[in-house]
Amino acid sequence: MIDVLVVDDDVRVADINAAYVTKTPGFTVVGRAHTAAEALACLERTHVDLVLLDHYLPDETGLALVARLRQLGHHTDVIMVTAARDIATVQAAMRHGALQYLVKPFTFAGLRAKLDGYAALRRALATDEEAGQDQVDRIFGALGGASAGPPTLPKGHSPLTADLVRQVLRGANGPLSAQEVADRSQLSRQTAQRYLKLLERAGRVRLSLRYGETGRPEHRYLWRAP
């Protein structure tokens, strides 16, 4: 069983998330915390494999807590589960070592996809052998989870980059151009375009055309997956 600590300042939300975890085969909830201090105390006394961590906590942010955990030598895995959808926070989560980022509100299926991806990652890492390229691809593919794009990304594509593009689209109020996605994610336009096409082929993005004064249509992308 994979031991999970659920951290959310809202007691009701923490209970719902914990119930979702319990419904997922192979996972068990070993604690709930509603502040960063409670989370740290739980990690000090209880074995935890994975933390489902909200960013908005009353005493400090979730990302600040992750940074402090690493300084204290805690290497527990983290999946951010938060309403924070600004790109700066998403990028900071990546840099702090969060394995995944799930934006509220979400469904049980959305969280289970992340948990199943995490379980797949642990299975891929359960070897003492040296990793060949196929094994490396499986490891990084597991990080993507079912909601970041197609089940298996083509070689040369990063699950984290695909997830960043997905977060930009999900946080938008309407369709975006490839340049707008690039600006918001701080990726190059070419990279944004490549991942947008990948997500469109996977059925996660709806493509539309907008005609301007030049007569050349602009491609616009809208997130449509649940």
Side-chain angles (χ1 to χ4, degrees):
M1 298 294 285
I2 295 174
D3 296 330
V4 180
L5 170 63
V6 176
V7 183
D8 198 291
D9 67 319
D10 188 315
V11 175
R12 183 181 62 86
V13 172
D15 288 343
I16 292 172
N17 292 349
Y20 284 169
V21 172
T22 302
K23 287 172 61 178
T24 304
F27 291 82
T28 184
V29 175
V30 295
R32 296 176 180 81
H34 309 298
T35 67
E38 289 178 3
L40 183 58
C42 184
L43 287 163
E44 293 287 356
R45 67 174 183 267
T46 306
H47 173 266
V48 176
D49 297 305
L50 176 66
V51 180
L52 296 185
L53 180 61
D54 188 16
H55 181 58
Y56 298 119
L57 300 174
D59 46 352
E60 65 177 317
T61 67
L63 291 182
L65 174 60
V66 175
R68 193 146 62 94
L69 291 176
R70 301 308 184 229
Q71 291 172 355
L72 293 172
H74 290 283
H75 300 293
T76 306
D77 294 323
V78 174
I79 293 178
M80 299 298 296
V81 179
T82 175
R85 59 179 64 219
D86 60 286
I87 298 304
T89 301
V90 176
Q91 288 182 317
M94 293 168 59
R95 296 189 182 109
H96 281 74
L99 293 180
Q100 267 294 0
Y101 198 106
L102 185 60
V103 177
K104 296 177 180 177
F106 53 85
T107 62
F108 167 62
L111 179 57
R112 176 161 182 175
K114 301 298 185 186
L115 295 176
D116 287 343
Y118 176 71
L121 173 65
R122 286 174 62 94
R123 290 192 297 270
L125 292 173
T127 176
D128 294 329
E129 301 175 0
E130 291 186 355
Q133 187 61 54
D134 289 345
Q135 176 75 348
V136 171
D137 290 343
R138 284 195 297 273
I139 291 170
F140 279 90
L143 282 172
S147 63
T152 302
L153 291 172
K155 289 186 177 180
H157 288 75
S158 163
L160 292 179
T161 303
D163 206 45
L164 180 58
V165 171
R166 180 179 66 87
Q167 298 296 346
V168 170
L169 292 172
R170 287 191 62 179
N173 294 323
L176 298 177
S177 67
Q179 186 60 58
E180 289 170 328
V181 172
D183 292 341
R184 298 187 187 193
S185 61
Q186 299 184 19
L187 299 169
S188 70
R189 187 186 184 283
Q190 291 77 10
T191 298
Q193 183 74 61
R194 182 154 50 97
Y195 281 85
L196 287 166
K197 288 182 177 178
L198 180 68
L199 291 170
E200 187 215 342
R201 288 196 299 269
R204 302 303 173 90
V205 169
R206 179 182 296 113
L207 173 64
S208 61
L209 299 179
R210 185 175 70 177
Y211 290 86
E213 295 179 356
T214 64
R216 183 176 181 179
E218 178 185 53
H219 288 193
R220 309 282 292 179
Y221 300 89
L222 178 69
W223 183 258
R224 69 177 185 180

